[in-house]
Amino acid sequence: MTNFKQKIAEQIAKVTDLDEKELETYIEIPKDEKNGDYAFPCFRLAKELKKAPPQIASDIKEKLVLDEKYIKKVDIVGGYLNFYINTNLLTSEVLKEMEGEEFGKSNIGAGKNIVIDYSAPNIAKPFHIGHLRSTVIGGALYNIYKYLGYNTIGVNHLGDYGTQFGKLIEGYKLWGKEYDIEKDPINELTKIYIRINEACKEDENILNACRDNFKKLEDGDEYCTKIWQKFRELSLQEFQRVYDLLGSQFDSWNGEAFYSDKMPEVIDILEKTGKLIESQGARIIDLEEQGINTPCIIEKSNGSTTYATRDLAAILYRARTYDFDKALYVTSYEQVLHFKQVFEVAKLLGLDEKYIKGLTHIPFGMVLLPTGKMSTREGNIVKLEELLNEAIQRAEDIIEEKNPSLENKKEVAKKVGIGAVIFNDLSNSRVKDEIFEWNQILNFQGETGPYIQYTYVRTRSVLEKVGYLPNMADIKIEKLQDCYSQNIIKLIYEWEDILIQVTQKDEPSILARYLIDVAKAFSVFYNENKIMIEDKELQDARVYLTFCIGKVLKTGAKLLGIDMPNKM
Ligand code: ARG
């Protein structure tokens, strides 16, 4: 599609001798449509040109040679040049773009590899609401990068290793017979975990036994490995139920344990740099000089490796295996320090600069429940599977109340319930903490997943009522010149730009907010414009636009991981 900003910049560049690329970054979209489609603020040139902004505006306007194919008119308002584009061109280009199966797909990411490390729950612990955010944010980024043509690799870096397994093994040894692990694995293991933690607090010997167990596991001890494997398999079966509900998929399930035989190399490289030093029996990298006060522990005093060492091994592995341009790590902001340390130490691994530059932590805020924060150790947890099932149940109750005769109620309830939870997680900027409130996320009138779905369903029912889809080629674009239709056309025109912004900031909420804008624009369009009317050409144009909106909403929701019902 025509890049109107670039066309405007090109013309201004011709008459000012300023850099076209830079001028393009100055161009704004006015809040009020009375001020045109694009505005060029002359304030930024005042210093360089030593003139008042309105004077600059009028000088430029005088010299401008408008190419009417793109720009119809330019006005001066204060220090601004306001541009009015050729809306017929815009409209026909947008409609054409919408024709294909996958509109607005792009290949700007072609040839670039993006590793996204997300979800990563911990074996033998509940998949909780905090992992939901990682799963949902990471999943959305995965889809969006892919849509833009990037080669995307989704990695579930399972927490399947570490000292907690030493504890679990010890607890299992002591009291395993008292718990029915096969029947309800994670709940039972959690109970053992809570109990062993209590025991450790009271008895130093037990704590030491736990530490030894993990060391044994690392050294390949048969008994410890066998129990660990059992915990892992049973946990994965439970996690899979959650992934099935969410529709999550991963290209790799290489978790922390995968790196157990890859850590000696990391330690070897670090040793050779001379930066790996002894401190209280442990081996650490001091990061004081890099402005990080806490050192990165590479090996504990009993010789066990750490979470950080495994992440360093994973960086080496991913650089070699995936040759990544970017490696994203989606976790809560509680891990900001961890990734600062790891990325800093990674500079010592002798990797190409490109990989170091590509390492990016994508932190997100906490999910707070009205009852407060949750933690496995204290046992105050909300299991995600229960939460998702509750969402589905609540959606079903609402449907039962609003539309009792709906077909496939269960299937629709699943889409609405899960969609509500996902959208809630994505609609606010990710670093913000969020409070999880049922009434808010399931409100069909609010800025929610169900609202997007409901709007989509309305577009479908319009199409169903008229009973046909007009041919794009037959649409009379001049029938779509009213401001409500133009508002929608402009939003659709922004689609690719929105996706690019998401990847620039690794912020799926930009797409979520955009879908809200599109849904609102449709509501206004629908309230102001009759669709089934005498004027067949006008009707066709409006029907086609309705179809386009449905397509944008459906594709956008899909990228966020949300399925659309056809009716609700
Ligand atoms: N398992 C970790 C947790 O639950 C998240 C792992 C994130 N990824 C990584 N490469 N460290 O907190």
Side-chain angles (χ1 to χ4, degrees):
M1 284 193 278
T2 299
N3 183 341
F4 288 97
K5 274 190 183 175
Q6 188 216 320
K7 291 284 172 211
I8 293 169
E10 195 180 287
Q11 294 182 16
I12 299 178
K14 270 192 205 138
V15 300
T16 56
D17 274 343
L18 295 168
D19 179 58
E20 184 187 314
K21 278 269 158 273
E22 194 182 332
L23 289 172
E24 193 180 326
T25 64
Y26 295 173
I27 298 171
E28 302 168 359
I29 298 179
K31 295 247 171 339
D32 187 342
E33 70 218 25
K34 284 191 201 77
N35 288 324
D37 302 302
Y38 292 97
F40 181 81
C42 297
F43 309 93
R44 311 192 54 172
L45 304 181
K47 220 173 173 186
E48 206 172 330
L49 302 177
K50 297 195 183 67
K51 271 192 264 179
Q55 186 60 47
I56 298 173
S58 98
D59 289 354
I60 294 179
K61 187 184 168 191
E62 213 157 282
K63 289 189 224 148
L64 270 185
V65 190
L66 288 186
D67 183 345
E68 293 233 350
K69 182 172 174 222
Y70 303 108
I71 311 292
K72 283 275 184 231
K73 185 173 89 157
V74 54
D75 271 349
I76 299 174
V77 176
Y80 285 92
L81 283 164
N82 292 339
F83 292 84
Y84 294 80
I85 61 170
N86 177 351
T87 49
N88 279 338
L89 176 70
L90 175 78
T91 309
S92 68
E93 285 193 350
V94 164
L95 295 188
K96 206 173 275 155
E97 181 72 32
M98 293 301 299
E99 236 199 330
E101 232 342 279
E102 282 175 311
F103 77 94
K105 248 198 152 170
S106 137
N107 61 357
I108 59 164
K112 295 219 174 69
N113 304 321
I114 312 279
V115 174
I116 310 183
D117 175 320
Y118 65 110
S119 194
N122 301 315
I123 297 299
K125 291 190 192 177
F127 195 139
H128 63 66
I129 193 167
H131 291 122
L132 168 73
R133 288 212 84 181
S134 177
T135 309
V136 163
I137 294 171
L141 289 174
Y142 181 93
N143 297 337
I144 294 165
Y145 272 102
K146 202 168 185 149
Y147 204 78
L148 291 179
Y150 290 87
N151 177 35
T152 322
I153 303 109
V155 183
N156 194 337
H157 188 80
L158 288 172
D160 55 2
Y161 220 55
T163 42
Q164 74 269 27
F165 287 96
K167 287 184 176 174
L168 271 170
I169 292 169
E170 193 57 24
Y172 183 78
K173 258 199 227 167
L174 291 172
W175 320 296
K177 288 199 184 66
E178 295 171 39
Y179 298 86
D180 194 348
I181 295 176
E182 308 282 335
K183 193 169 158 233
D184 188 7
I186 292 181
N187 261 338
E188 295 295 275
L189 287 170
T190 305
K191 285 183 198 153
I192 296 182
Y193 191 62
I194 293 166
R195 187 165 166 192
I196 190 78
N197 266 300
E198 286 304 315
C200 284
K201 271 186 214 157
E202 265 145 42
D203 190 342
E204 183 94 357
N205 289 330
I206 296 188
L207 183 63
N208 286 332
C210 295
R211 288 190 178 135
D212 282 349
N213 284 339
F214 178 55
K215 185 76 186 95
K216 279 193 200 152
L217 183 64
E218 289 207 289
D219 296 340
D221 174 87
E222 201 178 316
Y223 175 77
C224 289
T225 309
K226 213 177 101 200
I227 302 180
W228 167 81
Q229 247 160 7
K230 178 173 162 160
F231 294 166
R232 190 177 189 275
E233 267 160 37
L234 291 171
S235 305
L236 278 178
Q237 281 168 22
E238 275 205 56
F239 294 163
Q240 194 52 48
R241 292 210 297 272
V242 171
Y243 290 134
D244 286 345
L245 282 171
L246 289 171
S248 314
Q249 273 170 344
F250 302 90
D251 301 307
S252 162
W253 293 80
N254 289 338
E256 293 184 43
F258 176 78
Y259 298 100
S260 61
D261 64 350
K262 297 176 181 58
M263 285 181 282
E265 185 189 357
V266 170
I267 294 174
D268 197 48
I269 298 174
L270 293 179
E271 261 168 4
K272 290 199 178 108
T273 64
K275 302 238 154 95
L276 189 62
I277 55 172
E278 296 265 337
S279 168
Q280 298 167 8
R283 304 223 281 167
I284 63 160
I285 302 279
D286 186 278
L287 297 170
E288 197 88 44
E289 266 177 37
Q290 286 71 32
I292 303 170
N293 292 328
T294 333
C296 185
I297 302 174
I298 302 295
E299 213 175 70
K300 293 186 186 170
S301 52
N302 68 350
S304 295
T305 56
T306 64
Y307 178 48
T309 326
R310 290 188 280 283
D311 259 329
L312 289 163
I315 291 174
L316 270 188
Y317 178 82
R318 291 171 188 178
R320 291 169 185 160
T321 312
Y322 306 119
D323 182 29
F324 61 78
D325 295 275
K326 260 199 203 178
L328 310 181
Y329 295 79
V330 188
T331 80
S332 89
Y333 58 55
E334 290 181 314
Q335 296 196 36
V336 165
L337 175 63
H338 167 75
F339 284 107
K340 261 199 188 141
Q341 294 175 319
V342 167
F343 294 170
E344 203 51 54
V345 177
K347 292 181 185 164
L348 303 174
L349 295 178
L351 286 169
D352 194 288
E353 192 51 34
K354 152 186 162 177
Y355 300 117
I356 301 301
K357 275 211 192 107
L359 296 169
T360 319
H361 183 214
I362 313 292
F364 55 79
M366 309 298 283
V367 184
L368 306 173
L369 298 167
T371 50
K373 218 190 108 175
M374 55 231 128
S375 126
T376 319
R377 229 160 282 167
E378 313 304 326
N380 165 28
I381 28 139
V382 170
K383 282 179 69 183
L384 186 54
E385 192 184 355
E386 280 165 21
L387 179 129
L388 293 177
N389 283 323
E390 183 170 349
I392 296 171
Q393 186 54 54
R394 283 174 183 259
E396 201 178 330
D397 294 346
I398 297 174
I399 293 168
E400 198 59 64
E401 188 194 311
K402 293 198 174 186
N403 191 359
S405 60
L406 181 73
E407 276 174 48
N408 306 326
K409 267 184 274 194
K410 285 239 180 287
E411 199 192 311
V412 176
K414 185 175 168 205
K415 289 178 177 169
V416 173
I418 302 285
V421 173
I422 293 179
F423 194 86
N424 173 60
D425 237 337
L426 293 176
S427 53
N428 289 316
S429 102
R430 62 176 154 77
V431 291
K432 274 212 232 150
D433 286 343
E434 97 185 22
I435 298 195
F436 194 93
E437 273 275 22
W438 282 118
N439 290 339
Q440 209 177 314
I441 72 172
L442 278 161
N443 182 348
F444 282 40
Q445 264 95 48
E447 300 188 343
T448 62
Y451 170 64
I452 303 285
Q453 289 169 323
Y454 185 63
T455 309
Y456 171 73
V457 166
R458 282 171 73 194
T459 68
R460 298 266 317 182
S461 80
V462 168
L463 291 169
E464 203 165 289
K465 249 182 234 150
V466 295
Y468 68 92
L469 180 65
N471 246 335
M472 198 282 291
D474 301 335
I475 303 301
K476 299 276 175 293
I477 46 173
E478 59 280 6
K479 296 283 180 184
L480 294 172
Q481 294 303 327
D482 67 286
C483 64
Y484 311 110
S485 306
Q486 279 302 308
N487 194 17
I488 289 167
I489 299 278
K490 276 191 209 155
L491 277 169
I492 301 179
Y493 174 75
E494 276 178 47
W495 166 263
E496 188 184 358
D497 199 41
I498 292 289
L499 297 189
I500 292 173
Q501 282 179 42
V502 171
T503 59
Q504 280 166 346
K505 298 187 179 145
D506 290 309
E507 182 66 86
S509 65
I510 297 172
L511 177 58
R513 308 303 312 169
Y514 168 82
L515 294 182
I516 293 284
D517 288 343
V518 174
K520 283 185 178 163
F522 175 69
S523 295
V524 178
F525 166 83
Y526 187 78
N527 289 340
E528 301 291 335
N529 290 339
K530 276 212 166 62
I531 295 186
M532 293 170 84
I533 36 182
E534 289 276 294
D535 180 345
K536 178 77 169 40
E537 285 182 345
L538 188 57
Q539 170 166 311
D540 283 358
R542 289 179 177 172
V543 169
Y544 197 78
L545 193 58
T546 302
F547 162 75
C548 293
I549 293 161
K551 204 161 174 181
V552 170
L553 290 176
K554 186 171 182 171
T555 309
K558 186 92 205 138
L559 290 178
L560 297 181
I562 298 170
D563 283 333
M564 287 297 193
N566 288 332
K567 290 207 164 85
M568 69 191 264

